[in-house]
Amino acid sequence: DTGVSQNPRHKITKRGQNVTFRCDPISEHNRLYWYRQTLGQGPEFLTYFQNEAQLEKSRLLSDRFSAERPKGSFSTLEIQRTEQGDSAMYLCASRDGGWGGYTFGSGTRLTVV
Amino acid sequence: GIQVEQSPPDLILQEGANSTLRCNFSDSVNNLQWFHQNPWGQLINLFYIPSGTKQNGRLSATTVATERYSLLYISSSQTTDSGVYFCAVERGNAGNMLTFGGGTRLMVKP
């Protein structure tokens, strides 16, 4: 068990570019979550998957944000036409079913210049 | 939605001192976790504690679900305890997502 893995650790992009982040959850965990954390704040929920099904996506910040988990294993979070306000830490977490604790990855820090 | 408030927002301790961090929440929950966020941004799970008391070394936590609060105790603090401590809760009918408090920023001075 290598924990939750996120790549890249850091991403600097120019405004207007598209970016994609990857999350590999703990292998036996069927639930995967994406959170966003801005400076000085606690993480806020974006979306989650149970296996390959995206069960909650109303909290995605705009239609520029989308997430996939095509085979119920790793997940990607894409932001299109990035804006400076998208600069934040993007965190992924997984858990086994709907109970028990969440395990978070190290996050991807996005800077939009 | 559910509200989570943590106190104090900032705390400065001398190494060796003890401290208590508090988390209040506005509705019944079926999950409560305490996390420590290190300087690199990683959220490290300290306790999964929807109710009762748990201890892990110098840390312990107590959740009184009926009164909607949880406490995190840090004894004999060390400089490596510095960072941000988050409380996060989950309601069973809310899409199984964690709602975080604003955190307590702890600095332990040598």
Side-chain angles (χ1 to χ4, degrees), chain A residues 9 31 33 35 37 40-43 45 48 56 59 89 91 95 98-102 104-106 109, chain B residues 30-31 33 35 37 39-43 45 48 86 90 94-103 105:
Chain A
R9 291 296 309 277
R31 292 206 175 188
Y33 302 78
Y35 285 77
Q37 184 178 22
Q41 304 296 317
F45 171 79
Y48 89 100
E56 174 59 63
R59 302 295 185 100
M89 174 78 89
L91 295 160
R95 75 196 299 203
W99 303 97
Y102 290 66
F104 279 82
S106 299
R109 187 173 297 280
Chain B
N30 61 5
N31 179 14
Q33 282 185 260
F35 295 91
Q37 190 163 42
W40 298 272
Q42 172 121 38
L43 281 167
N45 182 35
Y48 168 71
F86 286 105
E90 176 185 38
N96 293 129
M97 63 182 185
L98 283 175
T99 299
F100 283 77
R105 288 151 190 80

Side-chain angles (χ1 to χ4, degrees), chain A residues 3 12-13 20 29 32 42 47-48 54 58 61 64 77 81 83-84 86 100-101 111:
Chain A
I12 300 174
T13 191
T20 300
H29 286 183
L32 185 150
T47 187
Y48 89 100
Q54 191 173 12
S58 66
L61 299 165
R64 297 184 297 105
L77 177 69
R81 305 181 302 282
E83 302 173 356
Q84 286 190 319
D86 297 331
T111 302

Side-chain angles (χ1 to χ4, degrees), chain A residues 11-17 82-87 110-113:
Chain A
K11 178 71 176 179
I12 300 174
T13 191
K14 291 184 178 180
R15 190 172 49 188
Q17 298 295 304
T82 52
E83 302 173 356
Q84 286 190 319
D86 297 331
S87 296
L110 172 67
T111 302
V112 182
V113 297

Side-chain angles (χ1 to χ4, degrees), chain A:
Chain A
D1 177 4
T2 57
V4 178
S5 176
Q6 291 189 246
N7 288 287
R9 291 296 309 277
H10 304 275
K11 178 71 176 179
I12 300 174
T13 191
K14 291 184 178 180
R15 190 172 49 188
Q17 298 295 304
N18 299 341
V19 294
T20 300
F21 311 139
R22 176 175 171 130
C23 172
D24 288 86
I26 292 172
S27 57
E28 60 268 28
H29 286 183
N30 63 352
R31 292 206 175 188
L32 185 150
Y33 302 78
W34 285 99
Y35 285 77
R36 186 180 85 147
Q37 184 178 22
T38 53
L39 199 62
Q41 304 296 317
E44 59 177 330
F45 171 79
L46 294 178
T47 187
Y48 89 100
F49 294 84
Q50 179 168 303
N51 300 312
E52 66 275 11
Q54 191 173 12
L55 298 186
E56 174 59 63
K57 57 181 179 181
S58 66
R59 302 295 185 100
L60 287 169
L61 299 165
S62 78
D63 58 7
R64 297 184 297 105
F65 287 71
S66 63
E68 293 183 341
R69 193 183 184 196
K71 297 183 180 180
S73 57
F74 73 91
S75 175
T76 57
L77 177 69
E78 181 182 17
I79 308 174
Q80 296 182 328
R81 305 181 302 282
T82 52
E83 302 173 356
Q84 286 190 319
D86 297 331
S87 296
M89 174 78 89
Y90 291 84
L91 295 160
C92 176
S94 70
R95 75 196 299 203
D96 185 11
W99 303 97
Y102 290 66
T103 301
F104 279 82
S106 299
T108 294
R109 187 173 297 280
L110 172 67
T111 302
V112 182
V113 297

